[in-house]
Amino acid sequence: MSAFLAIVRRDLALAFRAGGGALQSMTFFALAALIFALAIGPEPALLQGFAAPVLWAVALFAAVVSLDRLFQADFEDGSLDTMIETAEFLELQVLAKALAHWLTAGLPVIAATPAIALLFNLPPEGYAPLLASLLVGTPALSLFGAIGAAVGLGLRRASIPMAILSAPLYAPTLIFGVNAAQAGASGSPEYAPSLLLLGAISLFSALLGPIAGAAAIRLNMS
Amino acid sequence: MSAFLAIVRRDLALAFRAGGGALQSMTFFALAALIFALAIGPEPALLQGFAAPVLWAVALFAAVVSLDRLFQADFEDGSLDTMIETAEFLELQVLAKALAHWLTAGLPVIAATPAIALLFNLPPEGYAPLLASLLVGTPALSLFGAIGAAVGLGLRRASIPMAILSAPLYAPTLIFGVNAAQAGASGSPEYAPSLLLLGAISLFSALLGPIAGAAAIRLNMS
Amino acid sequence: MSGATFKLQSGETLLLKGSNGAGKTTLLRALAGLLPISGGRVLLAPAVKASPSELRAAAIYVGHTDGVKSAMTAAEHLLFWSRLYPGGAARIDAAVAAFGLDDLLKIRTGALSAGQRRRVALARLVISGKPIWLLDEPGASMDAESNANLIALVLAHNARGGAAVIATHDRIAITARTLVVERAPQAA
Amino acid sequence: MSGATFKLQSGETLLLKGSNGAGKTTLLRALAGLLPISGGRVLLAPAVKASPSELRAAAIYVGHTDGVKSAMTAAEHLLFWSRLYPGGAARIDAAVAAFGLDDLLKIRTGALSAGQRRRVALARLVISGKPIWLLDEPGASMDAESNANLIALVLAHNARGGAAVIATHDRIAITARTLVVERAPQAA
Amino acid sequence: MHEFLKMGGYAAYVWPAYAVSVLAIGGLGFAIWRRGRALQRKLKELDDHGGAK
Amino acid sequence: MNPFELANPDRFERFARPIALPVSVLAAALIGVGLYFALFNSPPDYQQGETVRIMYVHVPAAWMALMCYTALAVSSAVGFIWKHPLADVAARSTAPIGAVFTAVALVTGSLWGKPMWGAWWAWDARLTSVLILFFLYLGYMTVWAAIEDKARAARLAAIVAIVGFVNVPIIKFSVDWWNSLHQPASVLRADGATIDSAMLTPLLLMGAGYMTLFAALLIASMRNEIAARRLSRLDAAAERPISTVRVE
Ligand code: HEM
Ligand SMILES: Nc1ncnc2c1ncn2[C@@H]1O[C@H](COP(=O)(O)OP(=O)(O)OP(=O)(O)O)[C@@H](O)[C@H]1O
Ligand SMILES: Nc1ncnc2c1ncn2[C@@H]1O[C@H](COP(=O)(O)OP(=O)(O)OP(=O)(O)O)[C@@H](O)[C@H]1O
Ligand SMILES: [Mg+2]
Ligand SMILES: [Mg+2]
């Protein structure tokens, strides 16, 4: 358990040192949203509808981008050896790394959301659902992503990025996330169920991610 | 000169080894477009208007994301020493690395554009302008990015991501790029001038990028 | 590789010699349970076949790539490791003392000299509290003093009943049985 | 650091000794023109003050971090360097011969052993064709044979009128003036 | 017959669909068959030259 | 007979060689008859007109895309859990076949979409997830291609296949979950088929044809894979150790 916390804490520290961490992905996120606001153009009517999709897309994006190297650095400098050597449950350590990733890539995005949503002049009743959907859904992104990252360790010459492996897992998360946010904003009855479904996905990811990820790492390290 | 080519060639090789290179960022790009399309939803009418903004935004992401580490790896493993030691003009070497980056991050995006545009059902008359704007504009992204990356070398503790440094430079590129693409598609007279402006920006970047980048590296290495 | 039949008693040290590329690192990583052993088996204690996971539990490997992050200070590394290895917290001070890290604790390891950085990496041995130490070129780029220091540490470890396997090129002042690793003739 | 007043004639080798963290690497990097020299000056040839860029032109530095990319083969490295150093192409074969790299050329350096990788890094010396070699722990994790080999190479370099400064901890078989770098007492 | 080829004006969609299906699947079959032949030939050579079994 | 007995490649060879040809012939026959019905002996649809004939190549291909991936996931799981060599061989051999069927479903689908929806492509849940399925096949094959050590490749690829399986139910039910442009299931559904038998006959014939064709192709490429492995085992160089250890 203390190992779990130690890993989380270390990855957080590293993320903040290595040019940015939380702030990194927050600004990235803001930048991205801004780009879209700019791209879509000034019509507020148009913008409103896009707050949820764009914010969700960007959140997923921020995750995908940073996940590729989730284990790579540790693998190269040998500290993954130490982690394997000391792990009674490698799954826990994968979970820890995924959690750290969510804290540095997922949470900041959520923190920035209200500001960005304002910029998209999202109607007031839209905020709670959007935040809820992100809060419930984004952990799944980090957890599913860990699988791709772990598998990717092995293939030096892979010509297809491992994001592809996680894509089928990202897609439903994204779709249900946007659904939930929009249903909530429009006060449709679908809101609760789609939010529940989203939660189910996250739970599933919390199970699948560590198991599959750990299995892949074990394979790649041997 | 042969050094210039050597650096370009080496960086291309490395990019391809490290999981994919061109294909890497191409699929990454396709994935990104897919993410947005999924988020925005199926209505083809809606999508059409978004081809240009989304493609430009994604091109920018692809650049930003990979630029952070443009010099980092060489710095850490000491090969930046060799490059400085042998450079009569460090500017040239920065230019070489920026070029290599554009070839692996910018060009593939452009190559993939027609396919993605098809999926966004971009109207036929939209293709030429979109491609033109990307072709003229994206080099500026790699070149401006090089400045941020070079400055970033120094500040280990920096908690502000390099993206921010380059953001003010990216923004106009992006805005004019999207403008040009959309103006061209709608056949408005703005097309030619905004494309010219874009070209001017790229030229400026080709001047500023190497000079500022090289200066920053010299500072950081001493 | 083949023919690796040898016995490592508790309280003894084995030296691995052999030219570059002979296979020392490979052997050590296998012993550490970080590589699969194709054929041949490793016996822990009275003839118990050890699975890689058991090996990982008993042995600690410090290799060429030292698992030290340039962005973190020595102190942060020690703290981190002490959390990974059960009971490590109690051994931090011992580790600092053993490798004279007192005045390096607050410096980013990236700013440390090669030898200083190496010492930080080796501090993991003490923190781990594992019985079997597997060292790959421990002395590389450490000065004579730190090297003597390390050897004393290994001997003390033996005295405490711990075992060690050390791969090295420079002759070091430990009287121990030596394993010679040779590169098998390849059909080029 | 201070007090570094010494003379390096063409055709001679200087040894840098000193405990870990004494400042050898720092000194070498300064000589290589990779660090600014605060006070004190470096004279190239008859009392010409050398600017960092002149130093960079005259000297090559091979340090702890060897500038070798795991993803590229040895051959690719040699080719790359031969493009960076003017006229390097002509010296590739010499470099391969000097460090016996023939049968390593096609392997990813990431798969090489520590010593083999080190040899690849050192091959840069020969390719550069520079008169002044600045070596930081060249022998680290190389076996006796490769080390002897390297020393022979340095002597040959001297014979050709080249100069070398070598920072090392292990006593090596070169009769040369030795420079001892010491860490100034710190106000801890 | 001509009517049939016109596919009620949808020829441009129907026939390509059939063509793609035939070519892709047929091509795959052919590729597999070719690989099989090559492999069998190699194996045979090895066996003839008393290659280890 | 117990399928595990096939674990032994030679036994598989003995089982496969005799049936290989008949299966291929059967596949050819079924598809031939199916095509005849599809093109000459079935009515145009009252609203889709002649384009409905695309259905006879599109739908079976789409079915196979899903079927193949299911087979891939199952054999991967068997190979992963029971370390069953033949299962790995089967999985690896299934992937390219499935990829081709998926590609056909995609292309014929969008060829059908242009006249029906007026667009080659729509970012509808089913279409997108089929596209992802295609990527998955590619990813799976990349893993095999990118790793020299085949034993490791097999297990890594297996993880990919098993994880990716979640995509299949999504595809199957996407039309019901998200209001999609795409046809809801009209054949493979709990309450029985809902399309006219004149169209059902050729559809089912083609379906059966594709299925047997898959069997034939699978057998063929599994035999190839086994032969290839025998070849690589035959070159002795791989056996020699890199280094030896001697005590002094
Ligand atoms: C690229 C575009 C398309 C893709 C990727 C696609 C994919 C699929 C898939 C995966 C299935 C099998 C579903 C199942 O087994 O339950 C299917 C079935 C089917 N598709 Fe498509 N399709 C596409 C376009 C179209 C179009 C344009 C039409 C007609 C307007 C169409 C009509 C059908 C029909 C009738 C079925 C059979 C449904 C059933 O009976 O189960 N598809 N398609
Ligand atoms: N993928 C590979 N391809 C080719 N050769 C390989 C591969 N992996 C390892 N080797 C070879 O196996 C040997 C393993 O060397 P190892 O690192 O064990 O040597 P070592 O005894 O530790 O040498 P050193 O003293 O230099 O560390 C090396 O010769 C290396 O070239
Ligand atoms: N930013 C910094 N903060 C604190 N100390 C620093 C910093 N940068 C360098 N140092 C110190 O300056 C010294 C530089 O050591 P240098 O690398 O030159 O030693 P060295 O003689 O090469 O030692 P080794 O033999 O271990 O390589 C080290 O003691 C290091 O701790
Ligand atoms: Mg070694
Ligand atoms: Mg040093």
Side-chain angles (χ1 to χ4, degrees):
Chain A
M1 197 54 214
S2 79
F4 182 87
L5 292 180
I7 292 174
V8 175
R9 209 174 287 119
R10 183 196 68 152
D11 277 19
L12 289 181
L14 282 174
F16 277 90
R17 306 277 166 84
L23 248 168
Q24 164 82 272
S25 46
M26 214 191 261
T27 32
F28 178 73
F29 179 63
L31 206 69
L34 200 76
I35 289 168
F36 276 96
L38 288 174
I40 296 168
E43 302 81 19
L46 247 182
L47 276 173
Q48 282 196 13
F50 283 106
V54 168
L55 288 176
W56 253 100
V58 175
L60 171 48
F61 219 71
V64 171
V65 160
S66 42
L67 270 166
D68 263 19
R69 294 184 52 82
L70 185 60
F71 300 107
Q72 202 61 41
D74 290 348
F75 176 67
E76 280 159 6
D77 69 17
S79 46
L80 198 53
D81 285 345
T82 315
M83 289 169 62
I84 294 178
E85 179 189 307
T86 55
E88 63 275 22
F89 297 110
L90 192 53
E91 287 74 10
L92 267 183
Q93 311 213 354
V94 174
L95 189 63
K97 284 195 76 73
L99 174 60
H101 177 268
W102 181 74
L103 289 174
T104 50
L107 202 53
V109 167
I110 299 176
T113 296
I116 313 282
L118 199 66
L119 193 147
F120 278 72
N121 46 39
L122 182 73
E125 63 276 19
Y127 282 76
L130 180 52
L131 284 171
S133 66
L134 284 169
L135 207 52
V136 176
T138 45
L141 303 179
S142 300
L143 284 156
F144 285 140
I147 303 175
V151 173
L153 271 184
L155 351 145
R156 284 226 154 45
R157 300 185 287 92
S159 56
I160 293 183
M162 285 307 111
I164 292 289
L165 300 183
S166 325
L169 300 163
Y170 290 146
T173 320
L174 176 68
I175 295 177
F176 286 114
V178 176
N179 271 0
Q182 285 175 330
S186 64
S188 96
E190 273 183 35
Y191 179 43
S194 51
L195 204 55
L196 277 178
L197 197 46
L198 204 57
I201 293 181
S202 285
L203 284 182
F204 174 66
S205 71
L207 201 67
L208 182 64
I211 294 175
I217 291 182
R218 282 205 198 83
L219 279 172
N220 280 327
M221 293 307 290
S222 58
Chain B
M1 199 53 214
S2 81
F4 183 87
L5 291 180
I7 293 174
V8 174
R9 209 175 285 119
R10 182 196 70 154
D11 277 19
L12 288 181
L14 283 173
F16 276 87
R17 306 284 164 79
L23 244 172
Q24 162 84 277
S25 44
M26 223 176 207
T27 25
F28 169 77
F29 181 59
L31 209 69
L34 192 142
I35 289 171
F36 283 109
L38 266 184
I40 294 170
E43 299 77 19
L46 266 182
L47 278 173
Q48 280 198 16
F50 280 100
V54 167
L55 287 173
W56 255 99
V58 172
L60 175 51
F61 287 163
V64 172
V65 162
S66 41
L67 271 167
D68 264 19
R69 296 184 52 80
L70 185 60
F71 300 108
Q72 201 60 40
D74 289 349
F75 176 68
E76 280 159 7
D77 69 17
S79 44
L80 199 53
D81 285 346
T82 314
M83 288 168 63
I84 294 177
E85 178 189 309
T86 56
E88 62 277 24
F89 298 110
L90 193 53
E91 288 74 10
L92 266 182
Q93 311 213 354
V94 174
L95 189 62
K97 284 194 76 75
L99 174 59
H101 176 268
W102 182 74
L103 287 175
T104 48
L107 201 53
V109 166
I110 297 175
T113 297
I116 313 281
L118 193 71
L119 300 187
F120 276 75
N121 344 306
L122 183 73
E125 63 275 19
Y127 282 75
L130 180 54
L131 285 171
S133 66
L134 284 169
L135 206 52
V136 176
T138 45
L141 302 178
S142 300
L143 285 156
F144 285 138
I147 304 176
V151 174
L153 272 185
L155 5 138
R156 302 298 199 86
R157 278 231 155 40
S159 55
I160 297 172
M162 288 310 104
I164 289 192
L165 278 178
S166 328
L169 297 165
Y170 289 146
T173 321
L174 177 74
I175 296 173
F176 287 113
V178 176
N179 270 358
Q182 285 174 328
S186 64
S188 95
E190 276 181 37
Y191 179 42
S194 50
L195 204 55
L196 277 178
L197 197 46
L198 204 57
I201 294 180
S202 285
L203 283 182
F204 174 64
S205 71
L207 203 65
L208 182 63
I211 294 174
I217 291 182
R218 286 210 194 81
L219 276 173
N220 283 326
M221 291 307 291
S222 55
Chain C
M1 47 199 302
S2 71
T5 305
F6 57 90
K7 193 135 147 299
L8 175 64
Q9 269 126 355
S10 66
E12 105 169 306
T13 295
L14 270 182
L15 291 187
L16 276 187
K17 297 239 172 244
S19 57
N20 290 139
K24 301 182 294 301
T25 299
T26 312
L27 176 56
L28 283 177
R29 289 183 64 83
L31 289 177
L34 294 170
L35 286 180
I37 299 168
S38 56
R41 45 208 225 309
V42 179
L43 306 177
L44 261 186
V48 187
K49 188 178 187 319
S51 74
S53 59
E54 286 161 331
L55 285 173
R56 283 199 289 271
I60 174 172
Y61 167 75
V62 178
H64 297 299
T65 53
D66 52 13
V68 171
K69 302 264 185 198
S70 307
M72 288 163 59
T73 69
E76 287 170 320
H77 279 92
L78 298 180
L79 197 63
F80 175 60
W81 289 326
S82 72
R83 296 259 172 62
L84 286 189
Y85 295 96
R91 291 185 287 266
I92 290 186
D93 299 343
V96 172
F99 292 96
L101 300 177
D102 320 74
D103 42 3
L104 304 181
L105 287 175
K106 299 259 154 302
I107 307 175
R108 241 179 356 94
T109 51
L112 290 179
S113 83
Q116 294 168 327
R117 184 188 171 106
R118 190 87 198 141
R119 262 145 60 194
V120 174
L122 288 168
R124 216 162 77 221
L125 292 172
V126 177
I127 289 182
S128 77
K130 296 260 185 93
I132 305 178
W133 291 0
L134 305 171
L135 307 183
D136 205 345
E137 287 294 337
S141 75
M142 285 204 313
D143 57 26
E145 182 194 346
S146 324
N147 257 317
N149 197 327
L150 172 65
I151 290 168
L153 204 69
V154 172
L155 293 176
H157 179 60
N158 288 338
R160 267 184 273 95
V165 181
I166 305 180
T168 180
H169 292 297
D170 34 14
R171 46 204 125 23
I172 62 180
I174 297 187
T175 55
R177 285 186 306 133
T178 307
L179 288 183
V180 177
V181 185
E182 275 160 357
R183 191 160 177 72
Q186 300 279 314
Chain D
M1 52 196 297
S2 66
T5 304
F6 58 91
K7 189 133 152 301
L8 174 65
Q9 268 129 355
S10 68
E12 96 166 319
T13 295
L14 268 181
L15 291 187
L16 278 187
K17 298 243 172 236
S19 58
N20 291 140
K24 301 184 294 300
T25 300
T26 312
L27 175 56
L28 284 176
R29 291 185 63 85
L31 289 176
L34 296 170
L35 286 180
I37 299 165
S38 56
R41 40 206 233 309
V42 180
L43 307 178
L44 257 188
V48 185
K49 188 177 190 316
S51 75
S53 60
E54 286 162 332
L55 286 172
R56 283 199 289 271
I60 173 172
Y61 167 73
V62 178
H64 298 299
T65 54
D66 53 12
V68 171
K69 302 264 183 198
S70 307
M72 287 163 58
T73 68
E76 287 168 322
H77 279 92
L78 297 181
L79 199 63
F80 175 61
W81 290 325
S82 72
R83 296 257 170 63
L84 287 190
Y85 295 96
R91 292 184 287 265
I92 289 186
D93 298 343
V96 172
F99 292 95
L101 299 176
D102 320 77
D103 41 3
L104 304 180
L105 286 175
K106 300 257 154 305
I107 306 176
R108 247 187 342 99
T109 51
L112 289 179
S113 83
Q116 294 169 326
R117 185 186 169 105
R118 190 85 197 143
R119 263 146 59 196
V120 174
L122 288 168
R124 213 161 76 223
L125 292 173
V126 176
I127 289 183
S128 78
K130 296 264 186 86
I132 305 177
W133 290 0
L134 305 170
L135 308 183
D136 204 346
E137 287 293 340
S141 76
M142 284 205 312
D143 57 23
E145 185 194 342
S146 322
N147 258 317
N149 197 328
L150 173 64
I151 290 166
L153 204 69
V154 172
L155 293 177
H157 179 60
N158 288 337
R160 267 185 272 96
V165 182
I166 305 179
T168 180
H169 293 298
D170 34 14
R171 48 203 125 23
I172 62 179
I174 296 188
T175 55
R177 283 187 304 131
T178 305
L179 220 57
V180 177
V181 186
E182 273 162 1
R183 192 170 175 74
Q186 304 277 318
Chain E
M1 189 59 203
H2 188 258
E3 267 314 304
F4 169 70
L5 286 178
K6 285 236 305 278
M7 274 293 155
Y10 289 121
Y13 304 107
V14 176
W15 292 122
Y18 278 82
V20 165
S21 313
V22 171
L23 289 182
I25 301 173
L28 175 67
F30 179 67
I32 293 176
W33 173 73
R34 271 241 319 261
R35 174 159 185 250
R37 223 186 32 181
L39 284 168
Q40 293 307 336
R41 203 186 298 116
K42 282 214 204 69
L43 275 176
K44 220 169 157 322
E45 283 171 10
L46 278 176
D47 296 348
D48 295 351
H49 306 337
K53 246 308 177 182
Chain F
M1 77 183 227
N2 159 9
F4 279 71
E5 291 188 352
L6 292 176
N8 171 338
D10 302 339
R11 210 180 273 116
F12 171 81
E13 185 65 13
R14 252 182 276 115
F15 154 86
R17 186 182 283 114
I19 68 170
L21 187 59
V23 175
S24 324
V25 173
L26 177 61
L30 280 169
I31 291 177
V33 182
L35 281 176
Y36 166 73
F37 272 92
L39 289 172
F40 303 100
N41 198 348
S42 63
D45 186 79
Y46 66 94
Q47 54 176 188
Q48 303 186 325
E50 299 285 351
T51 60
V52 73
R53 301 198 187 282
I54 297 178
M55 174 170 71
Y56 306 121
V57 282
H58 164 71
V59 176
W63 286 341
M64 291 310 294
L66 298 179
M67 216 289 294
C68 288
Y69 198 90
T70 314
L72 177 62
V74 170
S75 41
S76 298
V78 173
F80 190 86
I81 298 165
W82 288 291
K83 302 228 168 49
H84 193 312
L86 199 68
D88 293 335
V89 173
R92 187 182 187 180
S93 313
T94 308
I97 308 175
V100 167
F101 278 124
T102 313
V104 170
L106 279 166
V107 174
T108 55
S110 43
L111 277 168
W112 200 356
K114 189 62 179 168
M116 287 302 107
W117 308 331
W120 296 105
W121 184 264
W123 288 101
D124 136 307
R126 164 169 284 179
L127 274 54
T128 310
S129 40
V130 173
L131 187 62
I132 290 173
L133 185 69
F134 182 66
F135 281 140
L136 262 177
Y137 278 115
L138 293 188
Y140 178 89
M141 292 190 277
T142 322
V143 174
W144 269 106
I147 300 179
E148 289 77 8
D149 169 6
K150 288 312 167 199
R152 214 174 95 227
R155 300 179 67 70
L156 264 179
I159 294 179
V160 173
I162 297 165
V163 168
F165 184 71
V166 295
N167 203 28
V168 169
I170 292 176
I171 295 176
K172 180 79 182 121
F173 301 111
S174 48
V175 265
D176 312 332
W177 288 347
W178 300 289
N179 50 354
S180 152
L181 291 168
H182 195 282
Q183 254 74 351
S186 48
V187 177
L188 306 175
R189 49 189 292 159
D191 54 2
T194 62
I195 76 173
D196 175 57
S197 64
M199 297 185 185
L200 192 52
T201 325
L203 188 54
L204 293 184
L205 274 171
M206 290 298 281
Y210 275 31
M211 186 69 87
T212 28
L213 181 60
F214 166 68
L217 292 174
L218 181 61
I219 291 173
S221 48
M222 280 178 74
R223 291 176 68 191
N224 288 352
E225 184 63 23
I226 291 172
R229 293 188 175 196
R230 253 191 72 217
L231 264 180
S232 57
R233 243 182 291 116
L234 283 186
D235 72 45
E239 305 300 337
R240 195 188 293 109
I242 293 184
S243 18
T244 60
V245 178
R246 146 170 74 77
V247 186
E248 275 189 353

